[in-house]
Amino acid sequence: DFGVLNGRGVKGVIDGQLWHLGNHRLVEELGLCSPALEARLSLLENAGKTVIVLCAARGPVAIFAVADTVRPESIAAVTALKALNVVPVMLTGDNPATAKSIAAQLGIQDARGNLMPEDKQVAVAELKRRFGTVGMVGDGVNDAPALAQADIGFAMGAAGTATALETADVAIMDDDPRKIADFISLSRRCASVLKQNIGLALGIKVVFLALALSGHATLWMAVFADMGASLLVVFNGLRLL
């Protein structure tokens, strides 16, 4: 009778006994959070750890405290995003103390913890109203609603779940968060080159049309306005390489 409790943990029956394994919220919902346990959990959470509790029907029997380690490239990724005037925001299901501890190491000012999947979706909608355009980076099932809500969703290709990959618009194949800034930078350059090419092509056509109407156009001018313009925009586009 195994089951996943979204945003809380898992449950299952072993030898006829029901067990729950999950976070602080799950223990509170089960009505098994005593003052003594609350003190233990708060101490660990304030130390920047995520607490997982194993509960039998009679009450909690074990506490596991784990902590995420910040990947070396994560700090560089956040720094690169800030250089592009992108405001980073952390959305996590972990407790707020853990979220703030990790965010402080990365230089992220806005860190929101204890978020269920639907809470992340609401947060993304609120950020869209505030900033206009929002990108969401995620890798888990709990991130899927927020990935769908965002203007563009980024999923981690190797570590990401199938649900996250199917929902996202972009998959970072090597899971390197620095590629997010590279993607944004390349996208901006691509948009700039597209505008240049459109302006170049239309500009040449307008000039040739004016020359033709005034009777000064020649055959070679027509060739340049057609094939020459095509070659110019191709070579300009190749600058993206």
Side-chain angles (χ1 to χ4, degrees):
D1 191 27
F2 177 82
V4 176
L5 308 172
N6 285 337
R8 296 170 180 82
V10 295
K11 68 178 181 66
V13 175
I14 302 175
D15 295 331
Q17 182 172 346
L18 178 63
W19 294 86
H20 288 84
L21 181 68
N23 57 21
H24 194 161
R25 180 189 281 109
L26 177 62
V27 181
E28 292 178 342
E29 291 181 358
L30 293 172
L32 301 176
C33 197
S34 65
L37 178 64
E38 187 75 40
R40 292 278 299 277
L41 298 183
S42 296
L43 184 64
L44 292 168
E45 289 173 350
N46 290 331
K49 295 182 171 71
T50 298
V51 181
I52 304 164
V53 184
L54 177 64
C55 297
R58 65 182 184 276
V61 296
I63 298 173
F64 305 93
V66 297
D68 286 321
T69 55
V70 177
R71 294 167 57 175
E73 60 268 27
S74 296
I75 296 176
V78 173
T79 302
L81 287 172
K82 288 182 176 179
L84 294 171
N85 294 320
V86 176
V87 180
V89 178
M90 178 185 290
L91 307 177
T92 177
D94 283 333
N95 66 82
T98 300
K100 289 179 181 178
S101 175
I102 297 296
Q105 297 177 54
L106 297 173
I108 297 176
Q109 302 297 323
D110 189 351
R112 310 179 189 187
N114 271 346
L115 299 182
M116 298 289 286
E118 57 271 21
D119 296 328
K120 293 182 180 180
Q121 186 178 20
V122 170
V124 169
E126 181 265 316
L127 291 169
K128 285 177 71 172
R129 288 192 295 271
R130 191 197 308 178
F131 293 105
T133 303
V134 172
M136 170 69 184
V137 184
D139 59 6
V141 175
N142 292 340
D143 296 321
L147 287 169
Q149 179 70 48
D151 293 291
I152 183 167
F154 298 88
M156 294 297 143
T161 63
T163 303
L165 287 168
E166 290 171 5
T167 307
D169 304 290
V170 179
I172 306 300
M173 299 309 296
D174 59 1
D175 288 359
D176 187 343
R178 292 173 296 185
K179 295 290 178 65
I180 305 297
D182 292 341
F183 180 94
I184 295 172
S185 179
L186 182 60
S187 297
R188 290 178 177 177
R189 288 179 58 201
C190 185
S192 175
V193 167
L194 282 172
K195 292 173 184 176
Q196 293 169 17
N197 283 349
I198 292 171
L200 192 63
L202 292 179
I204 291 175
K205 299 291 186 183
V206 169
V207 170
F208 177 75
L209 179 62
L211 290 171
L213 291 175
S214 63
H216 294 86
T218 65
L219 177 62
W220 288 111
M221 288 182 183
V223 171
F224 176 77
D226 182 28
M227 187 55 65
S230 297
L231 291 174
L232 280 175
V233 298
V234 169
F235 289 137
N236 189 44
L238 288 175
R239 292 192 304 113
L240 290 171
L241 295 175

